[in-house]
Amino acid sequence: MDRIETRKVPIPPHRMTPLKAVWPKMYPPLVEHLKLQVRMNIHSKSVELRSSKHTTDPGALQKGADFVQAFSLGFDIDDAIALLRLDDLYIQTFQIQDVKTLQGEHLGRAIGRIAGKDGKTKFAIENASSTTRIVLADSKIHLLGGFKNIQIAKTAVVSLILGSPPGKVYGNLRTVAARMKERF
């Protein structure tokens, strides 16, 4: 690789403290696996990535940026590391307002339906759609997983936003999960 490229991934203020806490676990995959040069810039609240003469993979910089971006969105560090290891993982983001215009208490109830009691509904969706990960960040919803699995999880989340009771969504997820098992 003859050209040195750089990327700057902005980190939201509420993710700076968690980033500092997991930094010793975050930079080794970037430096050793992707062979990138990395630094956390505290003043500009960003992580700066740079390819070097040791970088072999032409897509390493993009992979590294996606990895840092996944963490900044709120995904667990281990889920973000999966983005580096597996090629067919994607992140999809949408807002509750994209599905249905809700305000005030209606919006709060929709978020509550997605999360469920003690996060039970969210975990059920994650497990039924073959280890998709969901992050609820205010009215934004971030999904990480394989393409088909994201579609299954998104369908479940959208039906919860539109007001379906969680029990009905569980039933649909069970049906879809059974069909997925039959195919493989």
Side-chain angles (χ1 to χ4, degrees):
M1 184 166 225
D2 43 326
R3 226 172 84 225
I4 293 178
E5 298 177 52
T6 60
R7 289 275 168 86
K8 199 172 186 179
V9 182
I11 307 294
H14 70 281
R15 294 298 289 168
M16 277 308 286
T17 307
L19 176 70
K20 289 175 190 171
V22 299
W23 187 249
K25 195 175 177 183
M26 191 169 199
Y27 77 83
L30 292 167
V31 174
E32 293 158 18
H33 183 62
L34 296 176
K35 296 181 178 30
L36 295 171
Q37 295 174 346
V38 188
R39 75 177 182 182
M40 178 186 355
N41 191 331
I42 294 172
H43 295 293
S44 67
K45 290 185 174 40
S46 64
V47 172
E48 296 168 1
L49 305 163
R50 186 168 72 183
S51 60
S52 67
K53 63 180 187 238
H54 304 292
T55 309
T56 51
D57 180 13
L61 200 61
Q62 182 62 47
K63 270 187 183 174
D66 289 345
F67 164 65
V68 176
Q69 181 68 36
F71 182 79
S72 75
L73 289 175
F75 289 102
D76 189 48
I77 185 73
D78 296 320
D79 297 333
I81 288 174
L83 270 174
L84 296 177
R85 307 236 187 279
L86 305 168
D87 284 338
D88 59 341
L89 286 184
Y90 306 97
I91 296 176
Q92 188 173 13
T93 300
F94 66 98
Q95 288 191 320
I96 291 177
Q97 280 77 8
D98 296 344
V99 179
K100 188 175 185 184
T101 309
L102 297 171
Q103 278 119 13
E105 288 182 18
H106 299 293
L107 181 63
R109 279 196 295 274
I111 294 168
R113 275 194 302 274
I114 297 165
K117 187 179 180 196
D118 299 326
K120 190 178 157 195
T121 306
K122 186 183 103 156
F123 291 131
I125 294 170
E126 287 178 350
N127 293 333
S129 59
S130 301
T131 63
T132 303
R133 295 286 173 253
I134 300 172
V135 170
L136 298 168
D138 200 20
S139 67
K140 280 195 173 116
I141 298 162
H142 309 291
L143 304 168
L144 180 140
F147 185 73
K148 283 187 177 173
N149 297 336
I150 284 179
Q151 297 308 333
I152 293 166
K154 188 174 180 181
T155 305
V157 169
V158 166
S159 59
L160 285 167
I161 292 170
L162 293 173
S164 295
K168 186 174 183 184
V169 173
Y170 288 151
N172 293 344
L173 281 172
R174 267 191 227 104
T175 310
V176 170
R179 281 195 205 127
M180 292 276 287
K181 283 181 183 166
E182 283 176 17
R183 285 189 187 148
F184 296 115

